[in-house]
Amino acid sequence: VVELRESGGGSVQAGGSLRLSCVPSSGRIGPWGMGWFRQAPGKEREGIAAIDPDGTTSYADSVKGRFTISKDHDKNMLLLQMNNLEVEDSAMYYCVADRDSVHVAGMWYVSSAGAWGQGTQVTVSS
């Protein structure tokens, strides 16, 4: 079973930037569908960014134009560059990996064969 470990969370003021990283315990990320989910207190977990095995990216409307998901194949890690952060972006952020895309036909989905990280906290203050 692959374990995913996120890093890069922290506290930042609104308008600032953070970059999240996700590293697997084993395997190469190239063939995987991967993504980022987040969950704020009292809210449902939501998918926000996905990168398919072929490199296609997609985003939730709430982060489109501000967040960028990418794979660093040399370092074998998933990245999420978050710019122009807003207070509403405060949440626990989770890295996910699956055999195929985690964002299909507008639906965010991680199968039972997929993996989740433990999460990294992002706090944005006004």
Side-chain angles (χ1 to χ4, degrees), residues 1-61:
V1 178
V2 173
E3 295 182 354
L4 302 173
R5 178 174 296 178
E6 305 95 336
S7 61
S11 298
V12 65
Q13 287 193 321
S17 298
L18 284 173
R19 190 177 77 162
L20 305 184
S21 302
C22 172
V23 179
S25 59
S26 62
R28 301 294 300 179
I29 65 171
W32 301 346
M34 301 191 75
W36 293 93
F37 283 64
R38 70 184 182 186
Q39 187 168 22
K43 294 187 177 182
E44 291 188 357
R45 189 167 52 192
E46 60 174 346
I48 57 167
I51 183 165
D52 296 348
D54 67 358
T56 301
T57 59
S58 58
Y59 301 90
D61 288 343

